[in-house]
Amino acid sequence: MTSGLWQHWVLPGIWITIQLTVYSAALATVVAFGVGMARTHRSRFVRFLAGFYTEIFRGTSALVLMFWIFFVMPNLFGWALVPMWAAVLALGLSYGAYGAEIVRGALNAVPPAQREAGIALNFTPWQQMRLIRLPQAIPEMIPPFSNLLVELLKGTALVSLLGVGDVSFAAYLVRLATQESAQIYAISLVIYFVIAFLLTRGMRALERKTKAGLGLQPVAAGGAK
Amino acid sequence: MPRFWDGLLVSLQILALGSVLSFALGLVWAIAFRAPTRFIRWPVNLVTEFIRNTPLLVQLFFLYFVLPDWGVQFSALTTGTVAIGVHYSTYTAQVYRAGIDAVPVGQWEAATALSLPTTRTWTAVILPQAIRRVVPALGNYVIAMLKDTPLVVAISVLDLLGQARLESSHTFQYTEPLTVVGVAFILIAYPASLLVRALERRLVR
């Protein structure tokens, strides 16, 4: 394999895959917290809307959603997204729906007495959420979110079908140029595996940090003071 | 419209065969995780982790473009089904693993006390108890697999999405075919998820 292909496609491909993962993860996190918190809202209507959102976006395939956003939205609304942002939108909305279920589950797992304590202190619902429920729920969300991030990373491979030059697309081009399929596809699989591994490691460190910060785990060996 | 039905049949066929493959292969992995020697456990862990943490799409390309170089020729449809089945077997393996781990240790000891051979221990004692609990989780992966079947358009299989794209490329009308496909997925996935939830209530207490 010639070095020019590496410089022009594979290395930028890794960078684009990382960018896609970061942007879609950011959007998915916003959607997840918004929709997830809405699913525990007092108002039935808000809960229904949030539930509807998750069912719709969990019900359809991310690839179909991506094609729909890229090909159909311009017809319906008269404006088009470049492939990269169409992909980020599709991945963010779709994985956000899965994230919302994680947020909802973690919020519901906070003991009801904590909520009652908030009411006793005359906290507003938003204060209860911000000061009591979220801080306890967030460490619980991190392991499933870490899985979701790996899923998202793998999902970014779909964008190559819209012609975005990520790792998968680079592999496709290098295969066309060199006819060495085995090598380039094996290498790109290893690239994804390494990024996924680093992601999982990073999330584990984050989990330790948030738990230690909340005093949920003894910080030093020998237990809490 | 006949195209739509052809595509739907292809999608469902991939889903059905892929599910069967992932259920069977996943069980093989899960039993291998508990192999007595680490020379089996270690490679199996490595391989399944690798497959689980890399994109299905790239695996699909790998099988589709590389196997012919090695003299193995499958149709695109077979390649797609195998790729999905193998990919999801690494997920179902984790489900089976959890189910097997949840069988109380006393059950293993009882099998040993009765001096059951290993095969009988698995088939008569452990698996019947483990599999009951994992059925809903397996159901969730069938739904996940359904949503990944459109990936086979990348290797030119005319599934539901493939037919919609073919239709669009003739008429330059993307709106209707792609919307129909999106709605079709929701119409299949939503009742399926209700079914899995009902199963969960019945089987997992």
Side-chain angles (χ1 to χ4, degrees):
Chain A
M1 203 184 303
T2 52
S3 64
L5 285 169
W6 274 95
Q7 271 170 21
H8 286 108
W9 292 105
V10 181
L11 291 179
I14 296 175
W15 177 229
I16 289 181
T17 291
I18 292 172
Q19 276 180 307
L20 277 166
T21 311
V22 170
Y23 295 145
S24 339
L27 179 59
T29 309
V30 172
V31 171
F33 274 92
V35 176
M37 290 195 295
R39 289 205 75 172
T40 67
H41 198 268
R42 285 157 302 161
S43 148
R44 234 189 125 117
F45 181 65
V46 173
R47 284 205 306 269
F48 168 79
L49 279 186
F52 186 71
Y53 178 90
T54 43
E55 292 302 346
I56 291 292
F57 281 92
R58 268 160 29 113
T60 194
S61 151
L63 183 62
V64 174
L65 183 63
M66 198 171 80
F67 279 170
W68 196 86
I69 288 175
F70 186 67
F71 291 110
V72 178
M73 278 220 326
N75 290 348
L76 292 185
F77 305 117
W79 44 271
L81 289 169
V82 294
M84 168 105 176
W85 291 113
V88 167
L89 189 61
L91 293 172
L93 292 177
S94 166
Y95 286 89
Y98 293 96
E101 292 291 286
I102 296 173
V103 172
R104 178 176 74 122
L107 284 177
N108 286 340
V110 174
Q114 294 288 328
R115 189 175 194 168
E116 287 156 14
I119 297 170
L121 290 170
N122 202 21
F123 277 6
T124 63
W126 176 237
Q127 278 177 320
Q128 286 172 34
M129 180 62 86
R130 188 166 52 93
L131 298 171
I132 299 176
R133 299 175 73 197
L134 274 181
Q136 294 185 60
I138 283 176
E140 300 302 314
M141 294 174 196
I142 292 177
F145 252 104
S146 153
N147 284 336
L148 193 71
L149 270 183
V150 174
E151 294 295 317
L152 185 62
L153 165 71
K154 293 188 292 170
T156 61
L158 302 183
V159 306
S160 62
L161 301 182
L162 292 185
V164 180
D166 72 323
V167 173
S168 313
F169 195 68
Y172 169 78
L173 289 180
V174 173
R175 181 185 71 84
L176 287 187
T178 63
Q179 297 296 322
E180 285 174 20
S181 322
Q183 211 179 12
I184 183 59
Y185 282 119
I187 290 170
S188 53
L189 284 171
V190 170
I191 292 172
Y192 281 106
F193 185 66
V194 169
I195 303 177
F197 180 78
L198 295 176
L199 265 180
T200 322
R201 275 299 161 97
M203 290 299 276
R204 236 174 256 166
L206 187 67
E207 189 192 352
R208 273 197 302 275
K209 239 181 161 171
T210 48
K211 278 197 174 156
L214 274 174
L216 292 176
Q217 260 179 358
V219 178
K225 290 175 275 191
Chain B
M1 267 332 244
R3 266 202 188 146
F4 173 83
W5 293 113
D6 289 348
L8 185 64
L9 277 182
V10 171
S11 289
L12 292 178
Q13 186 192 339
I14 297 173
L15 179 66
L17 296 175
S19 302
V20 171
L21 179 60
S22 75
F23 291 169
L25 195 57
L27 190 57
V28 173
W29 297 132
I31 292 172
F33 289 151
R34 280 187 163 262
T37 157
R38 61 166 180 234
F39 293 107
I40 297 176
R41 285 198 306 263
W42 205 79
V44 168
N45 258 319
L46 184 75
V47 168
T48 53
E49 280 298 306
F50 189 82
I51 298 176
R52 212 154 61 96
N53 286 307
T54 51
L56 175 57
L57 183 66
V58 184
Q59 290 165 7
L60 207 57
F61 283 138
F62 187 90
L63 291 179
Y64 190 62
F65 293 121
V66 176
L67 287 185
D69 287 356
W70 294 343
V72 185
Q73 194 83 48
F74 285 135
S75 72
L77 183 63
T78 314
T79 311
T81 311
V82 169
I84 288 177
V86 171
H87 187 80
Y88 275 91
S89 75
T90 60
Y91 291 84
T92 57
Q94 299 297 331
V95 171
Y96 285 124
R97 159 136 80 182
I100 292 167
D101 287 349
V103 175
V105 188
Q107 299 288 327
W108 290 94
E109 290 163 357
T112 315
L114 293 169
S115 75
L116 289 182
T118 315
T119 324
R120 285 274 290 161
T121 307
W122 278 103
T123 55
V125 182
I126 304 302
L127 288 181
Q129 299 183 64
I131 285 178
R132 207 175 100 92
R133 291 165 212 250
V134 303
V135 169
L138 292 181
N140 279 327
Y141 280 121
V142 174
I143 300 174
M145 244 182 280
L146 166 72
K147 286 177 282 179
D148 269 350
T149 54
L151 260 62
V152 296
V153 294
I155 54 171
S156 72
V157 176
L158 288 176
D159 73 326
L160 198 50
L161 182 62
Q163 293 285 7
R165 293 206 72 193
L166 192 65
E167 178 82 23
S168 315
S169 64
H170 288 316
T171 59
F172 298 103
Q173 294 289 316
Y174 289 97
T175 311
E176 291 83 5
L178 285 178
T179 308
V180 166
V181 172
V183 171
F185 272 97
I186 295 169
L187 286 184
I188 303 171
Y190 184 59
S193 74
L194 292 183
L195 190 73
V196 171
R197 260 175 249 169
L199 265 178
E200 205 156 346
R201 273 197 298 276
R202 284 193 71 178
L203 293 179
V204 186
R205 271 165 292 133

